[in-house]
Every structure is written in C-alpha cells, then in structure tokens.
Amino acid sequence: MTKHLIKSQQFTKEHLFNLFNRADELRISPSDSLNGKVLTTLFYEPSTRTRLSFESAMLKMGGQIMGTENAREFSSASKGESLADTIRVIATYSDAIVMRHNKEGSVEKASEVSDVPIINGGDGKGQHPTQALLDTYTIYREIGKLDNIKIAMVGDLASGRTVRSLCYLLGKFSGVKIVFVSPVNLKISQEIKDYLEKHNIEFSEEDDLEKVLPAVDVVYMTRIQKERISQEDYEEAKGKFVINDANLEFISKGAIIMHPLPHVEEIDISIDKEQNDSRVAYFRQAENGLYIRMALLEELLLAN
Ligand code: CP
C-alpha cells in the first residue's frame, strides 16, 4: 500500500526519533540515495520554505524536481480539471508529490487516487505535518527534550495549521504544558483541547503575554492569517501579541523563540538582536526543515 503523509497523528515517538537521527546524519553527510527519483511540488497556495526546502532536499540527494508554485493559475485546474484527475496524471510522471491546497481535506482526497506518496504541505486550516516534524526536531535540538517542556503558542490559533499539527505531535509526549495566548476571536479549537485532554496534556489560555514569557521553554509565535479571516477579525486581532526588544527581556535565558514563518508585525525585534540573540531560533528552525525533509523523502521514496 502506498504510504502518504497527511497528518501529524500518523507518527509514533519511535518514528519521530528515527527521522531526527537520520536528519542529523544527512546534515553532516548528504547522501545521493534519491538519484533517479522525481518529486512534484504542486502548490495551490503561496510558499517559500515548504516548497523550496523540499526541492532543495530532493536536489541535494541526487533526485530531480518539477512542479508549479501557482497551480490554481498554471495547472489545468484553471480549465476546470478536477483535483483527482490532476493527481492521477502527475502520479504517472513522478515518484512522490508534495501538495499544498487552500481547502482542508483536499490533500487526503488526493491521496485516495494516488499510486505514489502524497505529502501534505499544508491544507487550508487543516494541518501542516512536515512543519510539525521540523518544529519538534528544533525543540529537541535546542532544548534537548520533548517530554516535560513548557510551550506558549501565540497568535492566530484558530486558523493556524502549524499550531494544530504541533499540538497533535506534542500530545504523544509526557509532562508537556501548553499555554495558548490568542486574540479572543482567534482561540484554539475545541477539537484540539479535546485531543490534549485525552492525551493528558496540561493546557491553559492566557491573555497576558508578559506574564507567560518568563515561565516557558519555547515561545511559538504565529502570524494572524489575514487571508483566512474576515477584515473585521483581522483588525481586531492584529498587533495584539508582539515580541519586541522590550518584552524579549522577559524570556528566560535558556528558552527559544520559534515561528513557522513568514512573520509580519508579531515579531518586532531589531535586526541586531535577531542576529545575535541565541534565543531567536526561527531561522535555525527553517533550516532544520531542509534536513528533516531530506530524511522524510528518503523514507517515503525508498520504501515505495
Ligand atoms: N512555514 C511555512 O509553511 O512557510 P511557507 O508558507 O513559506 O512554506
């Protein structure tokens, strides 16, 4: 049976650590094990990191890439072709497909008609499981553990698929404490709260960011997703929770600031601090995406 990656819940802890170990190896010594393999990147929504890090991972491992960064306009979707037909055809041209789509559930639907692995590169407000892989990999590298961590998740928690996917992965560890900090109109969903309760993960909701900052190992900032909410909701939420040079000082010495990127006004740290304060981890986090995606591609492409 073809193995697809659709959601974070698919991973076990053992599987995660195997990927982390392989990513560490590939960081030091890239392999050309994907020679002769072809990856298609099929993106119906904009991306910088996800698409380009998958493409870079493939190229660095001897494979080849093809695809479109604007499939809504530059694929036959613009002529009315169904997603299922598009996938059936591309699956005959390539060994795996990374897909991002604006509609939640569409990547899973695509996987139902694909004979090659489909990797979810983000589906609407649904999930972004490879982001959660690189996020947990980053926490593990930077903090040294995934059990017993305290993490604040800040920003648009209603639309943010990275937060959802990360919660699903952290739910597999023990002693994790999550503090959700969001504008009142963009709170974390009941579905995620139910999942965390079921997995005995302690969580709370706070609205005073400065009170939360000194108490956590990880500050996970997210952007207000203007493109997924009404103008009214955006105006109400924007600028409510920001990390700047002043409140950066509240964050503990050994803690880190993460962000899936792109960031806009929710990160307002001077360039000097961004470059020299080791707590700013989000560029290292983005780089980690390359190595974890190398490990993932190797696993999916060589197993099928
Ligand atoms: N984190 C992330 O998904 O970034 P891109 O939208 O640039 O791919």
Side-chain angles (χ1 to χ4, degrees):
M1 208 171 97
T2 307
K3 199 170 161 188
H4 305 287
L5 172 49
I6 308 299
K7 52 189 181 181
S8 289
Q9 296 93 309
Q10 285 174 239
F11 291 96
T12 61
K13 276 166 77 166
E14 187 189 3
H15 189 178
L16 272 187
F17 286 118
N18 286 340
L19 280 171
F20 295 174
N21 289 338
R22 187 62 185 141
D24 284 345
E25 286 171 3
L26 289 166
R27 179 189 299 265
I28 294 163
S29 164
S31 114
D32 61 358
S33 56
L34 300 185
N35 189 5
K37 300 285 185 186
V38 175
L39 175 74
T40 296
T41 51
L42 182 67
F43 277 57
Y44 293 81
E45 274 192 344
S47 166
T48 297
R49 280 145 291 272
T50 309
R51 185 173 63 83
L52 294 178
S53 64
F54 265 116
E55 293 186 356
S56 175
M58 195 67 189
L59 293 170
K60 281 174 183 280
M61 295 183 75
Q64 291 177 296
I65 53 166
M66 59 181 196
T68 169
E69 63 194 77
N70 183 356
R72 272 202 262 187
E73 207 177 322
F74 296 132
S75 77
S76 286
S78 68
K79 301 176 212 162
E81 183 173 57
S82 71
L83 179 61
D85 281 4
T86 301
I87 295 296
R88 278 187 197 103
V89 173
I90 295 175
T92 65
Y93 302 157
S94 42
D95 298 290
I97 301 168
V98 182
M99 184 181 151
R100 171 172 288 185
H101 202 280
N102 48 303
K103 270 198 200 138
E104 184 175 346
S106 52
V107 181
E108 185 161 17
K109 279 216 169 77
S111 73
E112 287 161 11
V113 296
S114 178
D115 292 333
V116 300
I118 299 265
I119 301 170
N120 185 355
D123 65 324
K125 292 186 186 181
Q127 283 217 30
H128 193 349
T130 68
Q131 179 71 42
L133 283 183
L134 77 92
D135 289 344
T136 47
Y137 179 49
T138 299
I139 295 169
Y140 190 63
R141 280 180 66 83
E142 301 266 340
I143 305 293
K145 60 183 182 179
L146 283 158
D147 290 314
N148 302 308
I149 58 157
K150 287 187 199 154
I151 177 168
M153 297 189 181
V154 185
D156 181 353
L157 306 182
S159 333
R161 58 195 174 201
T162 68
V163 160
R164 289 165 54 76
S165 285
L166 184 55
C167 284
Y168 283 123
L169 265 196
L170 289 177
K172 298 182 180 286
F173 292 86
S174 49
V176 174
K177 291 184 181 158
I178 305 177
V179 186
F180 296 116
V181 183
S182 65
V184 283
N185 54 334
L186 297 174
K187 284 181 175 288
I188 194 80
S189 69
Q190 190 57 45
E191 177 201 338
I192 295 292
K193 290 185 194 172
D194 291 345
Y195 174 86
L196 294 175
E197 265 166 20
K198 196 171 154 200
H199 290 80
N200 299 314
I201 301 291
E202 206 178 295
F203 64 86
S204 61
E205 291 180 276
E206 300 286 346
D207 55 14
D208 183 347
L209 182 59
E210 290 181 2
K211 193 178 111 191
V212 171
L213 291 179
V216 295
D217 306 300
V218 179
V219 181
Y220 190 96
M221 298 296 294
T222 65
R223 177 177 68 90
I224 305 297
Q225 307 239 327
K226 190 178 183 180
E227 68 277 26
R228 302 195 199 284
I229 59 178
S230 67
Q231 185 66 24
E232 196 184 357
D233 273 337
Y234 177 68
E235 293 300 332
E236 192 180 331
K238 78 168 179 189
K240 278 261 170 8
F241 299 107
V242 175
I243 296 291
N244 52 32
D245 285 359
N247 66 15
L248 181 63
E249 298 316 316
F250 291 98
I251 298 173
S252 310
K253 286 274 176 287
I256 54 170
I257 306 164
M258 295 176 64
H259 194 307
L261 303 178
H263 80 65
V264 283
E265 76 276 346
E266 70 282 355
I267 299 279
D268 187 23
I269 302 173
S270 60
I271 290 182
D272 177 53
K273 285 203 182 256
E274 239 185 6
Q275 283 180 332
N276 297 310
D277 191 318
S278 61
R279 292 171 297 180
V280 175
Y282 36 83
F283 294 115
R284 297 193 295 276
Q285 178 187 357
E287 184 187 349
N288 288 338
L290 173 63
Y291 306 115
I292 206 79
R293 287 174 175 133
M294 284 168 110
L296 182 70
L297 284 172
E298 191 178 62
E299 182 192 299
L300 289 174
L301 283 163
L302 300 185
N304 280 271

